[in-house]
């Protein structure tokens, strides 16, 4: 198992961007898993606008579908963190509870990157990403259900408490993920609507590899996933260490030893929110993430607690759904620009 540690490599671009800028009964994890909605479904969060036959008024819900999207990055859940990449299970649960209370609804990286963000009016997308395939993130017990205390079990529990909070996430894996050599863990994730993403087979630093080595590392990671889930379409890549290859285009598409890949999005380590996939400044080759972190500690100003505070204090900056999947609403006064291929759907108000 490779665990990222230390200061990430080559996150300068995202760091500079950051500088500029109710409860129901608590079901057991297996019961929560049984309540999972079909992939792509969602229910309105408690503070979202009620549904009606007429399309919601974008101004009434403060819609801004060119706004920023937090893509949160997690590694290990441990009771005694040993690096800034670790979180306690209690802190992880508290962050999910905060997201649900503030009207965020999880989407996968692939859904985000391809603009398949079908949320109730007034809701905000958030992407939950997990690197390295660590067993503290997800493991199956003898009963075939997620092991209590793992990140996915906690996510299912929070989602059961907040019906509008979709229990989906994107998990970026290396060889032998989640201590499940037979691939059962990956099949469970696929069957329950989670995204399985590539993190290279050997957690390769792509910045130090030549062009052939970059493609070999990425293609090998994809083969590892597809051995367990042969018909699965791997759609996104998270760069190990956040290291960008010298030819950045090779992170997005390429091939080696008979395996080709083409991704909708490549995630950095990053230090700030990501642009809307409909915005002119969206770049699928270098999409930033926010490290999940308490408000204090090393580089805490780039962490999730601080960024979520900033987005809450300036809600007009964050992506807020207009409730109409085929319409991209944004305030004309915000000075935002849609990408050229979305101008036919973009509506300023």
């Amino acid at each position: 198992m490779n665990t990222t540690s230390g200061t990430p490599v080559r996150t300068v671009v995202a760091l500079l961007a950051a500088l500029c800028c109710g409860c129901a009964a608590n079901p057991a994890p297996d019961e929560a898993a049984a309540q999972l909605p079909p992939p792509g479904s969602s229910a309105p969060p408690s503070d979202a606008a009620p549904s009606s036959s007429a399309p919601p008024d974008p101004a009434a819900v403060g819609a801004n579908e060119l706004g920023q999207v937090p893509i949160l990055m997690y590694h290990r859940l441990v009771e005694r963190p040993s690096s800034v990449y670790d979180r306690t299970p209690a802190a992880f649960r508290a962050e999910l509870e905060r997201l649900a209370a503030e009207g965020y609804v999880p989407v996968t990286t692939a859904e985000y990157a391809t603009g398949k963000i079908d949320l109730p009016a007034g809701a905000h997308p958030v992407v939950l990403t997990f690197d390295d395939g660590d067993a503290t993130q997800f493991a199956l017990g003898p009963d075939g259900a997620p092991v209590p205390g793992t990140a996915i079990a906690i996510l299912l529990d929070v989602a059961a408490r907040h019906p509008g909070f979709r229990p989906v996430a994107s998990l970026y894996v290396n060889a032998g993920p989640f201590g499940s050599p037979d691939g059962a863990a990956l099949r469970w994730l696929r069957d329950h609507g989670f995204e399985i993403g590539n993190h290279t087979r050997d957690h390769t630093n792509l910045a130090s590899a030549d062009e052939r080595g970059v493609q070999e590392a990425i293609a090998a990671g994809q083969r590892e996933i597809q051995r367990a889930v042969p018909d699965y379409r791997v759609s996104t890549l998270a760069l190990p260490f956040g290291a960008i290859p010298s030819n950045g285009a090779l992170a997005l598409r390429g091939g080696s030893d008979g395996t080709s890949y083409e991704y909708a999005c490549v995630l950095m380590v990053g230090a700030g929110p990501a642009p809307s996939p409909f915005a002119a400044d969206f770049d699928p080759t270098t999409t930033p993430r926010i490290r999940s972190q308490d408000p204090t500690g090393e580089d805490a100003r780039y962490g999730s607690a601080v960024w979520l505070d900033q987005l809450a204090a300036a809600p007009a900056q964050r992506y807020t759904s207009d409730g109409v999947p085929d319409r991209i609403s944004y305030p004309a006064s915000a000075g935002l620009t849609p990408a050229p291929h979305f101008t036919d759907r973009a509506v300023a108000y």
Side-chain angles (χ1 to χ4, degrees), residues 60-193:
V61 298
N64 182 8
E65 295 180 318
L66 298 185
Q68 296 176 320
V69 178
I71 302 178
L72 305 185
M73 178 182 68
Y74 302 93
H75 287 77
R76 297 193 308 160
L77 294 191
V78 293
E79 292 294 344
R80 294 185 178 183
S82 60
S83 84
V84 292
Y85 293 95
D86 295 341
R87 298 231 69 181
T88 67
F92 175 68
R93 180 184 292 273
E95 184 156 83
L96 295 184
E97 291 281 358
R98 173 183 182 169
L99 291 168
E102 294 184 2
Y104 285 96
V105 177
V107 299
T108 66
T109 308
E111 289 171 336
Y112 154 78
T114 59
K116 295 177 181 177
I117 306 177
D118 184 3
L119 302 184
H124 322 291
V126 62
V127 185
L128 310 174
T129 69
F130 297 84
D131 288 5
D132 302 341
D134 192 89
T136 65
Q137 300 167 4
F138 177 61
L140 290 174
D143 59 354
V147 172
T150 60
I152 297 306
I154 294 171
L155 173 57
L156 294 176
D157 184 39
V158 172
R161 293 173 178 272
H162 303 275
F165 197 72
R166 291 177 69 219
V168 298
S170 299
L171 296 95
Y172 293 91
V173 299
N174 309 123
F178 313 115
S180 175
D182 63 355
L186 295 188
R187 290 191 291 274
W188 189 99
L189 291 169
R190 174 202 60 192
D191 293 344
H192 290 84

Side-chain angles (χ1 to χ4, degrees), residues 198 218 222 233-237 251-252 261-266:
N198 193 351
I218 296 172
Q222 179 157 305
R233 171 81 165 87
V234 183
S235 300
T236 61
L237 168 77
L252 204 62
Y261 59 87
E262 183 170 1
Y263 298 138
C265 186
V266 175

Side-chain angles (χ1 to χ4, degrees), residues 3 12 32 55 113 137 139 166 182 255 277 281 288 297 310-311 322 333 343:
T3 303
V12 174
Q137 300 167 4
R166 291 177 69 219
D182 63 355
D281 59 345
Q310 292 185 27
L311 291 172
D322 67 0
S333 61
T343 53

